[in-house]
Amino acid sequence: MKKVLLLPILLVILLYTTAFSQLNLMPIPAHYQLENGKFRIDTTFEISIKGNPNDRIYSAATRMLRQLSRRTGIYFHQDYITKASNSNSTKLQVMCKEPGLLKLDENESYTLTISPRQITLEAENDLGALHGFQTLLQLVSTDSLGYYFPAIFIKDKPRFPWRGLLIDVSRHFEPVNVIKRNLDGMAALKMNVFHWHLTDDQGFRVQSKIFPKLTELGSDGKFYTQAQIKEIIKYASDRGIRVVPEFDIPGHSTSWLVAYPNLASAPGPYKVQRGFGVFDPTFDPTNEKTYKFFDKFFGEMAKLFPDEYVHIGGDENNGKQWRANPKIQEFMKKHNMSNVHELQTYFNKRILQILTKYHKKMIGWDEILQPNMPKSIVIQSWRGIASMVKAAKEGYKSILSSGYYLDQMQSAGKYYAVDPLPSNTPLTDTEKKDILGGEAAMWGEMVTPENIDSRIWPRTAAIAERLWSPQNVKDVNDMYRKLRVVNLYLDELGLTQIKNYGMMLRRMTNGQNIAPLKELVNLVEPVKGYERYNHGITYTSYYPYTHVVDAARPESIHARDFNIMVSDYIGGKKEDYKILKSKLEKWQKSSVELKPIIKHSPILWEADSLNTEYQLTTKAGLEALGNLHNNVEVDSNWINSEIITIEKWRKPFANVNLEIVDAVKELIEAEKIKKN
Amino acid sequence: MKKVLLLPILLVILLYTTAFSQLNLMPIPAHYQLENGKFRIDTTFEISIKGNPNDRIYSAATRMLRQLSRRTGIYFHQDYITKASNSNSTKLQVMCKEPGLLKLDENESYTLTISPRQITLEAENDLGALHGFQTLLQLVSTDSLGYYFPAIFIKDKPRFPWRGLLIDVSRHFEPVNVIKRNLDGMAALKMNVFHWHLTDDQGFRVQSKIFPKLTELGSDGKFYTQAQIKEIIKYASDRGIRVVPEFDIPGHSTSWLVAYPNLASAPGPYKVQRGFGVFDPTFDPTNEKTYKFFDKFFGEMAKLFPDEYVHIGGDENNGKQWRANPKIQEFMKKHNMSNVHELQTYFNKRILQILTKYHKKMIGWDEILQPNMPKSIVIQSWRGIASMVKAAKEGYKSILSSGYYLDQMQSAGKYYAVDPLPSNTPLTDTEKKDILGGEAAMWGEMVTPENIDSRIWPRTAAIAERLWSPQNVKDVNDMYRKLRVVNLYLDELGLTQIKNYGMMLRRMTNGQNIAPLKELVNLVEPVKGYERYNHGITYTSYYPYTHVVDAARPESIHARDFNIMVSDYIGGKKEDYKILKSKLEKWQKSSVELKPIIKHSPILWEADSLNTEYQLTTKAGLEALGNLHNNVEVDSNWINSEIITIEKWRKPFANVNLEIVDAVKELIEAEKIKKN
């Protein structure tokens, strides 16, 4: 084991730049070294497990074997892996010293050694071994003799101990199977915290047996029973994933107050919110009944959720109800509180007392970082990395979500560039230790069970790599190369980002040929940030998220490929001409074929202008490409008028943008201008 | 309402042959009449529900509205439909007289009247109304103004009261979400009985709190908790579907006897079976402990499963353990039993006493039909329609599954032709009343959660229509036309027969282009019946069902289309030449492109000969088509040698058959022979 620790930095860099491109490992391990030789995968491949691991390792090993079998079609002799599977002669030897505990800072390291005849996987505990299984599955390769693992030595451990995914199930409810398949995706990418945003203005999603009215009145019947919660926690635990529940208080709490208006800061009655935004209903922090309620509630939830952390939200409390309520104002005066933030801190401290009583630690959004909060809390930074730095400077532990908001529809490359601890961090080494990691955040306003996976994956894999791999892993192009492989891998696991894309296009075309629509939608991306709210529709939880924008992927890999190829071509890589030409011709053709399809499918009428933009843009691109290829000189007026036409049509139609417009403009502008 | 009853038969026939082709209703209603005009679907579409229905109607109406919204993209004003939604001014008025009871022979009729300004849906109870909702969803149409429902009058009711789907979850476990999505499919096709084959030699899948060892030792951890069972029963009930559990005894019971070997007819110990077939382990019917066990067990299950019927299996008891056990032989002598069938009847009667005590009725496979069984039992006929006729002649109620075995991989047309009560039935009118209906049976040996939907759907829709629609509905081509529409409709609902087909091909090609493989697999079908068992592999529950045969659809619609077109062309429809040529050329091209893809994907190596067959067959087809088109006369030896080549390669490769071979042979044989 010491061997690798002594590897010169130079060799590591070399690996990243050369042998590297042969591997699809995501996230990239902390250290690895490719060796000569191949381990052949055949029917005799068998797994033994030794040591003293948690039982989760047996089902995980069996799942791994079956997944390998499904992928390769190889009919392994071994069926179920149990404690009895501990022979010395099997080809994969797994050794774990002790049972893994699902808690912050647990050792997740593993060492994987593949030689042509033997594989060994060593880990302190089963959590590390589970990561090793995922690495092994990503190493499956083929050659003319069949399937094999390359000989390799890997010594791996995560950079950050908190690598999370938040799923908001309040704005849109996500059934059990949606959560399960996303846990499978997380495990594949070595993520270890599922942050379950269970309550918000639009729905209260967890059954309370003490306060059944919470779901009876606050969920529209869409909630998880306690049996289902346990089922999901078990499923996560089986995959080495902690489950941190979020109960967002004192704001974002309309759905609670529907059932218990007497705990609100204004009289009510309240109705479950259907729309989105920041709403007024807020718990009354000056009412002792509020704390009696929370004492019972968190007592119940503390038993249901085994993780040591409970997330109390705490964000976006607008304070309106507090300022409007004379009793609350009086309370603030009496306690010398000069603003609502101080009142919220008072509330948070009272909640912290309750959580502490039930042996839970508190985590909350960065609003909870106020003077006088104890250092035991964890801050989740969403408003900017500055608040994370501030928290660390003040001695708080924190995690980063700012820059990882999946609902903002940014590119994988953009998320990949966000580092909780960039090389220029102003933090000292001691302060750095309080940066626990980060979380991708899938806010649920615009996502449904049909398209949520496509908003989470594969982009979250880039965040997973950022949080696991060493800081110097920064090759964006290689990340994108691997993202394609990961995307197919997730498809096999049951994630629906590819499957439901097809279904949504089929539904829109209503039995017609989907190919032309697919060509177009492959090249668009939803408008970024929260721009979609600005186009006249008041969205609600029952809006039909089945339009072009809802099917479109957050990032168009097809456009990215084209755009890079155009840059290369203009930069001198003339051999790409034919490919570019055939792409543009195919798109031209599809834009024509799409016209009658749109005509016969009213849900697509909104895409008519988009198709015109597509048609004009690809036409102009084809002409410019032809001119470039044939060295035709053109009039500068011609160039200007082409640009004007393209710009005129360059708009978000149907809430999406055509992502090849810049590249086509580059082609046009690269044309030679005729000398007068 | 009387109007339609007076419709002359002639008009009904006319509708089936003309206006008919405009509608995609499946199953076809008992009576309908298209009217002039269109009901426009817009944001003001709203639903009111009146009368005294069961609460399930509100969630069903809300689901219907949301599905309509997802399909059309229309953002309806109405959100949730509740008891308060009972205004006189809404456009869809639903009226139910009373709450529907989920039991045999409950009234499921409905009357749907769509006029340009108003829709009324009248039913005795909510079960009929739910069927009406499904009909309405299938009527969504488009024109140049948008979405509409055609004006129509429908008076509908099922032909048979028992329209079931059996899913075997023992040979392969099927998770909760697989069951749920199939219940959605059933509801869409107006099926009303989910027959849950919960136990067999390969796994005991239902939690018993009294006998927890049943799942602890007999399920490999793959079973439904009682909470999940309740969840599924609720889900089914919400969709108007009864759940009939099957506990297969006294044979097919290895998984029980793993936990309770003392109840077996031979000493044990027993292990959960991994392979398939008929096994020896059988409950001891002479041991009073057996009945004490079943008394407690069925007491528990009777509470868990609300349906009045419990299925006791009873099939394929080979009697070996009974004949080999001297104590059992002695018992038989003592009770004057001359064979094991009589002993099984004794067992069945004892079980029937227990079920009766818990107010349950018994259903079983046709083996339970033995002299002296009381007439209260229901016989499920699987060995042939003769046993059903026999049962009816003897005064038993029965349902048909013979001819509806989905695992036999027959065509939809073949299942469609199977009628429990064909026009030539030897039964009297009184006897006919005991024919309750039928069940499609999805036996689970070769299906996994990945491909089970593709084995059930869309073929089961043909069976659903057979069991719902009038006997004279027999237009196979029209059934196939609608099957395409239904297939897309089920895709929207979450069924995976299209989605996972793509995934399985992607996994096999391992990141390469899947299009050429898809062209080929589109044209093949798995070997029929149980032929797959005859090719040297001993299949088990952990075999990787991820090969070409597992992805291939049971019926190739692409081949069917081609074959019909070839017949038409040879019959004189010359204008199809171009389409046939382009199809054959496309296939030729794909067979060439597929070669390197197969080479780089070891799981596809088994398809190499299949691809050669594909290449040779399409090449021969192209040549023959060219000769026919150009009136080229060919040598008879040439024809013979072509046929010989094709026949030489005509084999099930990789357990599939290329389904265009006959049509290509037709083309070759249609060529003109040169006169000597």
Side-chain angles (χ1 to χ4, degrees):
Chain A
M1 272 201 217
K2 277 185 184 165
K3 195 173 76 178
V4 84
L5 296 173
L6 300 172
L7 271 178
I9 297 294
L10 198 70
L11 179 58
V12 174
I13 290 167
L14 194 72
L15 283 169
Y16 282 153
T17 52
T18 56
F20 187 67
S21 61
Q22 301 159 27
L23 294 176
N24 296 319
L25 293 178
M26 196 166 193
I28 295 174
H31 302 281
Y32 68 93
Q33 184 173 356
L34 266 172
E35 311 277 1
N36 287 325
K38 296 171 176 182
F39 175 99
R40 291 279 150 204
I41 308 169
D42 62 26
T43 57
T44 65
F45 178 76
E46 206 169 321
I47 305 173
S48 284
I49 294 170
K50 290 172 192 161
N52 183 31
N54 180 289
D55 277 354
R56 71 167 65 85
I57 200 168
Y58 302 104
S59 56
T62 304
R63 276 200 311 280
M64 195 263 282
L65 189 66
R66 291 283 87 78
Q67 194 182 331
L68 188 62
S69 182
R70 284 198 299 274
R71 157 70 75 100
T72 59
I74 297 170
Y75 188 9
F76 297 115
H77 298 157
Q78 196 174 26
D79 50 7
Y80 287 85
I81 295 148
T82 65
K83 284 184 183 166
S85 316
N86 60 0
S87 141
N88 282 327
S89 61
T90 61
K91 291 189 177 170
L92 171 53
Q93 294 282 327
V94 183
M95 177 67 199
C96 294
K97 289 188 194 146
E98 56 184 31
L101 294 176
L102 278 179
K103 63 176 185 56
L104 187 62
D105 273 329
E106 179 67 319
N107 190 323
E108 294 180 89
S109 68
Y110 68 93
T111 305
L112 179 66
T113 313
I114 304 179
S115 67
R117 305 223 165 166
Q118 182 77 43
I119 304 175
T120 58
L121 172 57
E122 290 170 293
E124 277 299 305
N125 62 55
D126 43 275
L127 300 173
L130 262 57
H131 293 315
F133 289 155
Q134 297 296 344
T135 300
L136 199 55
L137 282 167
Q138 290 188 349
L139 284 169
V140 178
S141 307
T142 66
D143 64 11
S144 64
L145 297 176
Y147 293 98
Y148 71 90
F149 297 118
I152 197 167
F153 174 80
I154 294 176
K155 189 164 174 60
D156 201 7
K157 63 173 186 179
R159 181 175 169 214
F160 293 107
W162 190 304
R163 304 174 309 280
L165 170 64
L166 174 153
I167 298 182
D168 164 14
V169 298
S170 177
R171 276 60 179 260
H172 281 93
F173 181 64
E174 302 296 343
V176 171
N177 66 316
V178 175
I179 303 299
K180 284 186 175 177
R181 69 193 188 215
N182 276 286
L183 290 167
D184 283 321
M186 290 176 66
L189 274 305
K190 301 187 170 68
M191 301 179 82
N192 67 350
V193 180
F194 170 46
H195 174 164
W196 208 351
H197 186 81
L198 283 162
T199 71
D200 214 307
D201 297 302
Q202 294 82 359
F204 191 94
R205 306 299 183 197
V206 51
Q207 178 189 27
S208 164
K209 292 185 179 176
I210 302 175
F211 303 107
K213 283 201 313 191
L214 285 167
T215 50
E216 279 165 23
L217 300 176
S219 79
D220 300 306
K222 292 171 184 165
F223 64 95
Y224 307 98
T225 62
Q226 294 203 354
Q228 288 172 323
I229 297 272
K230 285 175 195 163
E231 184 183 333
I232 285 172
I233 290 170
K234 170 76 163 56
Y235 197 89
S237 165
D238 282 349
R239 284 150 185 80
I241 296 170
R242 296 166 46 205
V243 176
V244 175
E246 177 178 351
F247 307 97
D248 202 349
I249 50 175
H252 280 287
S253 56
T254 310
S255 64
W256 311 60
L257 301 172
V258 174
Y260 298 97
N262 59 319
L263 304 180
S265 303
Y270 296 94
K271 278 167 69 177
V272 170
Q273 303 289 354
R274 303 279 178 234
F276 308 125
V278 174
F279 300 97
D280 299 342
T282 312
F283 276 97
D284 182 352
T286 69
N287 182 348
E288 281 305 310
K289 280 183 190 156
T290 299
Y291 302 105
K292 276 189 189 139
F293 168 84
F294 280 121
D295 183 71
K296 282 188 193 165
F297 178 79
F298 282 118
E300 185 183 13
M301 293 300 130
K303 276 186 205 142
L304 186 59
F305 292 93
D307 200 76
E308 62 183 336
Y309 282 91
V310 169
H311 201 299
I312 62 140
D315 57 317
E316 296 185 318
N317 170 19
N318 68 13
K320 276 193 197 167
Q321 285 195 343
W322 290 358
R323 279 186 287 263
N325 182 327
K327 264 186 61 195
I328 292 176
Q329 289 299 312
E330 197 181 320
F331 181 93
M332 285 172 67
K333 257 186 221 152
K334 193 174 147 195
H335 291 80
N336 289 319
M337 296 174 185
S338 56
N339 59 43
V340 291
H341 301 303
E342 290 177 26
L343 181 55
Q344 187 163 346
T345 299
Y346 166 81
F347 173 80
N348 289 343
K349 283 185 180 169
R350 294 289 303 266
I351 297 295
L352 181 61
Q353 278 175 11
I354 294 170
L355 293 182
T356 306
K357 173 176 162 192
Y358 296 114
H359 312 291
K360 296 293 183 185
K361 294 178 181 170
M362 180 189 277
I363 171 168
W365 298 102
D366 47 17
E367 285 95 332
I368 75 166
L369 180 62
Q370 292 290 339
N372 302 320
M373 283 301 284
K375 306 293 180 199
S376 60
I377 64 171
V378 173
I379 306 299
Q380 181 165 17
S381 179
W382 73 282
R383 293 185 297 185
I385 199 163
S387 68
M388 163 173 252
V389 168
K390 181 166 175 270
K393 287 279 175 205
E394 293 181 16
Y396 292 94
K397 287 187 177 10
S398 63
I399 61 174
L400 186 66
S401 273
S402 170
Y404 296 143
Y405 269 33
L406 298 169
D407 58 326
Q408 293 201 353
M409 301 287 175
Q410 304 299 342
S411 69
K414 204 154 178 178
Y415 296 119
Y416 197 58
V418 175
D419 188 336
L421 280 177
S423 50
N424 63 356
T425 179
L427 299 179
T428 66
D429 283 350
T430 313
E431 288 160 357
K432 282 180 187 173
K433 283 180 190 141
D434 283 338
I435 305 299
L436 302 178
E439 279 187 4
M442 183 70 268
W443 295 107
E445 286 88 345
M446 299 275 189
V447 296
T448 70
E450 285 182 355
N451 73 350
I452 187 169
D453 296 4
S454 74
R455 273 68 189 127
I456 299 176
W457 308 104
R459 295 181 303 156
T460 293
I463 299 171
E465 179 156 286
R466 174 58 52 239
L467 297 173
W468 177 284
S469 301
Q471 194 200 26
N472 63 354
V473 173
K474 285 182 176 174
D475 183 337
V476 176
N477 286 328
D478 200 64
M479 183 275 287
Y480 274 107
R481 181 187 64 77
K482 292 185 300 178
L483 213 56
R484 282 171 218 248
V485 180
V486 164
N487 199 32
L488 290 170
Y489 187 83
L490 295 167
D491 179 44
E492 283 181 35
L493 284 180
L495 274 301
T496 63
Q497 72 280 4
I498 303 177
K499 296 171 190 176
N500 278 356
Y501 180 61
M503 179 277 285
M504 293 177 85
L505 299 181
R506 285 190 288 275
R507 182 168 51 200
M508 279 186 254
T509 48
N510 198 20
Q512 302 177 83
N513 177 17
I514 71 161
L517 180 64
K518 197 169 180 180
E519 293 290 351
L520 169 55
V521 184
N522 277 347
L523 297 178
V524 306
E525 292 176 7
V527 292
K528 305 294 166 191
Y530 300 114
E531 193 190 327
R532 188 170 173 187
Y533 289 102
N534 302 336
H535 298 280
I537 294 174
T538 305
Y539 291 95
T540 60
S541 52
Y542 57 93
Y543 177 85
Y545 296 93
T546 56
H547 291 261
V548 167
V549 58
D550 303 299
R553 288 132 169 177
E555 180 168 18
S556 165
I557 290 299
H558 293 84
R560 186 174 185 275
D561 288 346
F562 176 76
N563 298 345
I564 289 173
M565 197 176 267
V566 163
S567 289
D568 289 352
Y569 176 75
I570 291 170
K573 203 174 164 207
K574 295 301 169 199
E575 63 271 32
D576 284 346
Y577 165 71
K578 274 193 179 169
I579 302 175
L580 286 173
K581 183 163 172 269
S582 84
K583 283 188 188 216
L584 286 162
E585 281 173 349
K586 183 179 66 174
W587 296 338
Q588 260 292 287
K589 187 163 164 262
S590 70
S591 74
V592 175
E593 291 167 346
L594 190 50
K595 272 206 152 310
I597 293 168
I598 289 176
K599 198 176 161 194
H600 290 104
S601 209
I603 192 173
L604 285 173
W605 290 351
E606 63 171 5
D608 200 42
S609 296
L610 176 68
N611 191 39
T612 304
E613 180 190 10
Y614 177 50
Q615 193 160 19
L616 292 170
T617 306
T618 51
K619 184 164 170 281
L622 254 181
E623 283 174 8
L625 182 71
N627 289 341
L628 284 168
H629 183 67
N630 299 312
N631 282 309
V632 175
E633 295 186 345
V634 299
D635 196 278
S636 66
N637 289 336
W638 188 84
I639 290 185
N640 290 340
S641 81
E642 287 283 284
I643 297 286
I644 287 167
T645 305
I646 284 178
E647 286 295 344
K648 188 184 145 200
W649 283 91
R650 181 184 204 156
K651 279 177 198 153
F653 294 111
N655 287 303
V656 299
N657 284 304
L658 184 64
E659 296 294 335
I660 53 166
V661 178
D662 279 332
V664 167
K665 278 178 66 184
E666 274 185 68
L667 282 174
I668 294 169
E669 286 164 352
E671 289 174 276
K672 282 191 188 158
I673 295 172
K674 205 180 284 175
K675 286 154 200 156
N676 290 328
Chain B
M1 276 202 214
K2 278 184 184 165
K3 196 174 73 176
V4 84
L5 297 174
L6 300 172
L7 269 179
I9 296 296
L10 198 70
L11 178 59
V12 175
I13 290 166
L14 194 74
L15 282 169
Y16 282 152
T17 52
T18 58
F20 186 67
S21 63
Q22 299 158 27
L23 294 177
N24 296 318
L25 294 177
M26 196 166 193
I28 295 174
H31 302 281
Y32 69 92
Q33 185 172 358
L34 267 173
E35 311 275 2
N36 288 326
K38 295 171 176 181
F39 175 98
R40 290 279 151 205
I41 308 169
D42 62 27
T43 57
T44 66
F45 178 76
E46 206 169 319
I47 305 173
S48 284
I49 294 170
K50 289 171 192 161
N52 183 32
N54 180 289
D55 277 354
R56 72 166 67 83
I57 199 168
Y58 302 103
S59 56
T62 303
R63 275 201 310 279
M64 194 264 281
L65 189 66
R66 290 284 87 78
Q67 194 181 331
L68 188 62
S69 183
R70 283 198 299 273
R71 157 69 74 101
T72 60
I74 297 170
Y75 188 10
F76 298 114
H77 298 155
Q78 196 174 25
D79 49 7
Y80 288 85
I81 295 146
T82 65
K83 283 183 183 165
S85 315
N86 59 0
S87 141
N88 283 328
S89 62
T90 61
K91 291 190 177 170
L92 170 53
Q93 295 281 327
V94 183
M95 178 67 200
C96 294
K97 290 188 193 146
E98 56 185 28
L101 294 175
L102 277 180
K103 62 177 187 55
L104 187 62
D105 273 328
E106 179 67 319
N107 191 321
E108 294 180 88
S109 68
Y110 68 93
T111 305
L112 179 66
T113 313
I114 304 179
S115 68
R117 304 225 167 165
Q118 182 76 43
I119 303 175
T120 58
L121 172 57
E122 290 170 293
E124 277 300 304
N125 62 56
D126 42 276
L127 300 173
L130 262 56
H131 293 314
F133 289 155
Q134 296 295 344
T135 300
L136 199 55
L137 282 168
Q138 290 188 347
L139 285 168
V140 178
S141 308
T142 65
D143 65 10
S144 64
L145 295 177
Y147 293 97
Y148 70 91
F149 297 118
I152 197 168
F153 173 80
I154 294 176
K155 189 165 173 57
D156 200 7
K157 64 172 186 179
R159 180 174 170 215
F160 293 107
W162 190 303
R163 305 175 308 282
L165 171 64
L166 174 154
I167 298 182
D168 164 13
V169 297
S170 177
R171 275 60 177 260
H172 281 93
F173 182 65
E174 302 296 343
V176 170
N177 66 317
V178 175
I179 303 300
K180 284 186 173 175
R181 69 192 187 216
N182 277 286
L183 289 167
D184 283 321
M186 290 176 67
L189 274 304
K190 301 186 171 65
M191 299 180 84
N192 67 351
V193 180
F194 169 46
H195 174 165
W196 207 350
H197 187 80
L198 281 163
T199 70
D200 215 306
D201 298 300
Q202 294 80 0
F204 192 95
R205 307 298 185 198
V206 50
Q207 180 189 28
S208 165
K209 292 186 179 175
I210 301 175
F211 303 107
K213 280 201 315 192
L214 285 167
T215 50
E216 280 166 22
L217 300 176
S219 78
D220 300 305
K222 292 172 182 163
F223 65 95
Y224 308 99
T225 63
Q226 293 205 353
Q228 288 173 323
I229 297 272
K230 286 176 194 162
E231 184 182 334
I232 286 173
I233 290 170
K234 170 75 163 57
Y235 197 89
S237 165
D238 282 349
R239 283 148 185 83
I241 296 171
R242 297 166 45 206
V243 177
V244 175
E246 177 179 350
F247 306 98
D248 202 349
I249 49 174
H252 280 289
S253 55
T254 311
S255 65
W256 311 59
L257 302 172
V258 174
Y260 297 97
N262 59 319
L263 303 180
S265 303
Y270 297 94
K271 277 167 70 178
V272 171
Q273 304 288 355
R274 304 278 177 234
F276 308 126
V278 175
F279 300 97
D280 300 342
T282 312
F283 277 97
D284 182 352
T286 69
N287 183 348
E288 281 306 309
K289 280 185 190 156
T290 298
Y291 302 106
K292 276 188 191 143
F293 168 83
F294 280 121
D295 184 72
K296 281 190 194 164
F297 178 79
F298 282 118
E300 184 182 14
M301 293 300 131
K303 277 186 205 142
L304 186 59
F305 292 92
D307 200 77
E308 61 183 338
Y309 282 91
V310 168
H311 202 299
I312 61 140
D315 57 316
E316 296 186 319
N317 170 18
N318 67 13
K320 276 193 197 166
Q321 286 195 342
W322 291 358
R323 279 187 288 263
N325 182 326
K327 264 185 61 191
I328 293 176
Q329 288 300 308
E330 198 182 323
F331 181 93
M332 285 172 67
K333 257 185 222 155
K334 193 175 148 194
H335 291 79
N336 289 321
M337 296 174 184
S338 55
N339 59 44
V340 291
H341 301 303
E342 289 177 28
L343 182 56
Q344 187 164 346
T345 299
Y346 166 81
F347 173 81
N348 289 342
K349 284 185 180 169
R350 295 287 303 268
I351 297 295
L352 180 61
Q353 278 175 10
I354 294 170
L355 294 181
T356 306
K357 173 177 160 190
Y358 296 114
H359 312 291
K360 296 294 182 185
K361 293 177 180 169
M362 180 189 277
I363 171 168
W365 297 104
D366 46 20
E367 283 94 332
I368 74 165
L369 180 62
Q370 292 290 338
N372 303 319
M373 282 301 285
K375 306 294 180 197
S376 60
I377 63 169
V378 173
I379 306 299
Q380 181 163 18
S381 180
W382 72 280
R383 291 185 298 185
I385 198 164
S387 68
M388 163 174 253
V389 169
K390 180 165 177 269
K393 287 279 175 202
E394 294 180 14
Y396 292 93
K397 287 188 178 8
S398 64
I399 61 173
L400 186 65
S401 272
S402 170
Y404 296 143
Y405 269 33
L406 299 168
D407 58 325
Q408 294 201 353
M409 301 285 175
Q410 304 298 342
S411 70
K414 203 155 180 178
Y415 296 119
Y416 197 59
V418 176
D419 189 334
L421 281 177
S423 50
N424 64 356
T425 179
L427 299 179
T428 66
D429 283 352
T430 313
E431 288 160 358
K432 281 181 188 171
K433 282 179 191 142
D434 283 338
I435 306 299
L436 303 179
E439 277 187 5
M442 182 72 266
W443 295 107
E445 287 87 345
M446 300 273 189
V447 297
T448 69
E450 284 181 355
N451 75 349
I452 187 170
D453 296 3
S454 74
R455 272 70 190 126
I456 299 177
W457 307 106
R459 295 180 305 156
T460 293
I463 300 171
E465 178 156 285
R466 173 58 52 238
L467 297 173
W468 177 284
S469 301
Q471 194 200 27
N472 63 356
V473 172
K474 286 184 177 172
D475 183 336
V476 176
N477 286 329
D478 199 64
M479 182 276 286
Y480 274 106
R481 180 187 64 76
K482 293 185 300 178
L483 214 54
R484 282 170 219 250
V485 180
V486 163
N487 200 32
L488 290 170
Y489 186 84
L490 295 167
D491 179 43
E492 283 180 36
L493 284 179
L495 274 301
T496 63
Q497 72 279 5
I498 303 177
K499 296 171 192 176
N500 278 356
Y501 179 61
M503 180 277 284
M504 292 176 86
L505 299 182
R506 284 190 288 276
R507 182 170 50 200
M508 279 186 256
T509 49
N510 198 20
Q512 303 176 81
N513 177 19
I514 71 160
L517 180 65
K518 197 170 182 180
E519 294 291 352
L520 169 55
V521 184
N522 277 346
L523 297 178
V524 306
E525 292 176 8
V527 292
K528 305 295 167 191
Y530 301 114
E531 192 189 327
R532 188 171 173 187
Y533 288 103
N534 303 335
H535 298 279
I537 294 174
T538 304
Y539 291 95
T540 60
S541 52
Y542 57 93
Y543 176 85
Y545 297 93
T546 56
H547 291 262
V548 166
V549 58
D550 303 298
R553 288 131 168 177
E555 180 168 17
S556 165
I557 291 300
H558 293 84
R560 187 175 184 275
D561 287 346
F562 176 76
N563 299 344
I564 290 172
M565 196 175 267
V566 164
S567 289
D568 289 351
Y569 176 76
I570 291 170
K573 205 175 162 207
K574 295 302 169 199
E575 63 271 32
D576 284 347
Y577 164 71
K578 274 194 180 166
I579 303 175
L580 286 173
K581 183 164 172 269
S582 84
K583 283 187 188 216
L584 285 162
E585 281 172 351
K586 185 179 64 174
W587 296 337
Q588 260 292 287
K589 187 163 163 263
S590 70
S591 73
V592 175
E593 291 167 348
L594 190 49
K595 272 206 152 311
I597 292 168
I598 288 176
K599 199 178 160 193
H600 290 105
S601 209
I603 193 174
L604 285 173
W605 290 351
E606 62 170 8
D608 200 43
S609 296
L610 176 68
N611 192 40
T612 303
E613 180 190 10
Y614 177 52
Q615 192 159 18
L616 291 171
T617 306
T618 52
K619 184 164 169 283
L622 254 181
E623 283 172 9
L625 182 71
N627 290 340
L628 283 168
H629 183 68
N630 299 312
N631 282 309
V632 174
E633 296 186 345
V634 298
D635 195 278
S636 68
N637 290 335
W638 189 84
I639 290 186
N640 290 340
S641 82
E642 288 284 284
I643 297 286
I644 287 167
T645 304
I646 284 179
E647 286 296 343
K648 187 186 145 199
W649 283 91
R650 181 183 204 156
K651 281 178 197 152
F653 295 111
N655 286 303
V656 299
N657 285 303
L658 184 65
E659 297 292 334
I660 53 166
V661 179
D662 279 331
V664 167
K665 277 178 67 184
E666 274 185 69
L667 282 174
I668 294 169
E669 285 164 352
E671 288 172 277
K672 281 189 189 159
I673 295 172
K674 204 180 287 175
K675 285 152 199 155
N676 289 331

